[in-house]
Structures are given as C-alpha cells and as structure tokens.
Amino acid sequence: MFKVGASVLLLAVATGPAAAQRPADPVPQVTSGNFHTCGISGAKTYCWGSGEEGQLGNGDSADQNTPVQVRAPGGAVFTQLAAGGYHTCGISGAKTYCWGSAGDGQLGNGGTANQNTPVQVRAPRGVVFTQLAAGSAHTCGISGTNAYCWGVNFAVGDGGTANQLTPVQVRAPGGVVFTRLAAGGYHTCGISGAKTYCWGYGLDGALGDGGTASRLTPVQVRAPGGVVFTRLAAGGSHTCGISGTRTYCWGLGNDGRLGNGGTASQNTPVQVRAPGGVVFTQITAGGAQTCGISGTRTYCWGDGTYGGLGDGATASRTTPARVRAPGGVVFTQITAGTAHACGISGTRTYCWGYGDNGQLGNGGNVDRWTPVQVRASEGLHAAHRR
C-alpha cells in the first residue's frame, strides 16, 4: 500500500476526452497530496485533482475531477507512490521518478523546473529506493541501511540548510537504521528498531523531542515509557504513531488533530482518546486532520470544516469520530490530504471532504461530507498489486 505524505504546508500530451466510466473498477493503492490524489491499478498509475504544478503526471496542468493516466516513461511500472504537497513520486524497479512542483528540488532530478510527466530521480550510484515518503517540498527514501532526502533545506536531515536538488544521505545517529519513514509539511520522521526519530521544522512540537526548535539532523522522539512505534504518519505540523493497541500524536494541536480531547500543541507524544474497543492498525495524517482504521470501521479527527472527517458534518473533532461509510464499505487503506481523505474498500475507492479541485474523483467539484465513490476510468482494472 502507499505511503502517504500530505500536508497543508506541504501531508503531475494534452488531456483528451474523458474515458468511459466503470464505477466498480479498483484503485488498490492510493495516496494524497495537498489537493490531488493518485493510485496504482495493475501496470498503470492514475491521478486526479489539482494539476496546476503538473502533479497529475498526465502531461497537462489542468485540474481533473476523475482519474487520468500518468504518462510514465516506456517500461516504467510503478509499484509504490508518495504524494507530497504539489508533487508525486513513484518507484519502478530500480528507478525512482517524480513529477510536479520542483521549486525546492523535490523532484530530485537536479533541477527546479516543474515537470508534468515523470522524470528520473538522480540517485547516487548503487542507491535503489524501496520506500518513499513525500512532504510539502521534499521527498525521502530508504535504500538498504540508509535514508536519503532531497528538496527543501532543513527537512532533508543532512545537517545543512541548503536545498538539495538530488538525494543526499540523512545524517542519522550511529547505529540508526530506518525501516519506515513518514514525511510531513516540513519535517520527516523514521522508525529505527524500538526508537523513533524526527528532523526538520519543529516550531509546533512536530518533532516530539520535547522542544520546538528545528533540527537539521534526526533527534529521538521522547515517547512515554514502553511505547514503541511500529507505524507513523506525518501531517502538516503534527505526527502520529501506533504502539501496540494505542495511538499517540504530537505537534500542532489546532482543531483537535492530536485526538487527545484538546487543541493545545504537544511537543511529546500524547495518547489519542479512541472510543472503547477501538484499536487503530493504520493511520494517516493530513493537513489538519488524522484518520485511522480499526477493524471494519474508520475514524477521523481534527479539522472538519470541509467535511474532511467524513462523519456527515463540518465540525472539528478533538477525539475520533466514525466515518459514515456507505453500507458494506470497509476501508482497508486510507490517505489524507489537506482537507480531504480517500479510502479503498474491496475493488472500489471512495473520497470525502474538500472537493474544489476535483480531488474526490467523483466527477464533481463540490465538498462531500461523507464518502463518495471515485469514478474510475476505462483503463483501471482489477489487478491488485501488494
């Protein structure tokens, strides 16, 4: 499944006629940027929503309210995607490609010109990325025992403050080997064994180290005793992690996005006040909201202004509220953007929240307060890739 790195701060041939619609076609992987969403189905990749920076990858810069196919280079078949603020990246075999906004070097191709179709990341010799995470204007990846980042200055973790136009190695403490990464607005976090580290913009406490200073290299998250994170999600200025049967969040607390019942920022992890019996096994963090899956139910909390919590209202929630999914819909993967979210249920994809740029993929441009089905295009088919 995709990693998600969408953020409000951040957290892609001219388009032809719309293809015939087949609503039951699947998008088995999905990832959201600020105002766009992308998914893989079989050997093809599709994006929808805001296209102004080329982040849909279809060779155009127009918004699309139903999925359009990414114009991948010949032979490239993406098996993993990460959507950042206004850019998208994908792994195809031993190569990594990015497209969209490039002003801070987040495409990793050595330049700063926007690209509306995928361009190859100029990774160091021998570096093959197996996992990606994308933030507002930076991208990170894991290759073997090392993590690399590129893009906007202090979010790349190399100890400097210069933008990096190609991947540079993260200066991790001795013995630290990251196995999972999550990229937020202008910060990045990673899991190494029983410890979690973050680096980048720390003003709101998003690094979880007990302070609000920005860090140019990874610092350890001050987790409560016995807490070992196995999953992470980074949003605009907040971060969340799952440890056993409990979920914790830290950083900016506005609108209740930390889920602890309050709106105060927290510079160390605080436990999410989940309803009785709710145990999250997957989480995603957007610009100002967070969502999680527990069994057959999905919950969201934080800013609900545009219906991004999916509970049928536009109120913000300081603790998890259940998403009002259609009957029989059980999400197995979710992703959140600035003010929208999407989820996969069987062979169908649904989105909810802010819809002005077409990021809900249902053929419209209006907000939806509960999940609506993405209108899959002709090319989408049932080949699931795990």
Side-chain angles (χ1 to χ4, degrees), residues 316-336:
S316 295
R317 308 288 186 184
T318 60
T319 57
R322 185 178 174 184
V323 174
R324 288 177 49 189
V329 169
V330 177
F331 295 121
T332 55
Q333 195 238 322
I334 50 174
T335 178

Side-chain angles (χ1 to χ4, degrees), residues 66-91:
T66 58
V68 292
Q69 188 175 337
V70 173
R71 289 179 51 191
V77 177
F78 296 118
T79 55
Q80 183 190 146
L81 298 179
Y86 297 93
H87 73 289
T88 315
C89 298
I91 293 173

Side-chain angles (χ1 to χ4, degrees), residues 336-378:
T338 289
H340 78 288
C342 298
I344 293 170
S345 174
T347 61
R348 297 180 178 180
T349 300
Y350 297 79
C351 296
W352 59 94
Y354 187 64
D356 190 59
N357 301 102
Q359 59 266 53
L360 305 187
N362 66 327
N365 297 81
V366 299
D367 302 345
R368 303 301 291 259
W369 301 355
T370 57
V372 292
Q373 190 174 328
V374 173
R375 289 175 55 188
S377 61
E378 181 69 28

Side-chain angles (χ1 to χ4, degrees), residues 25 30 36 42 150 162 186 225 267 301 326-327 366 383:
D25 282 344
V30 67
H36 75 290
W150 55 98
Y186 292 100
N267 56 25
W301 56 96
V366 299

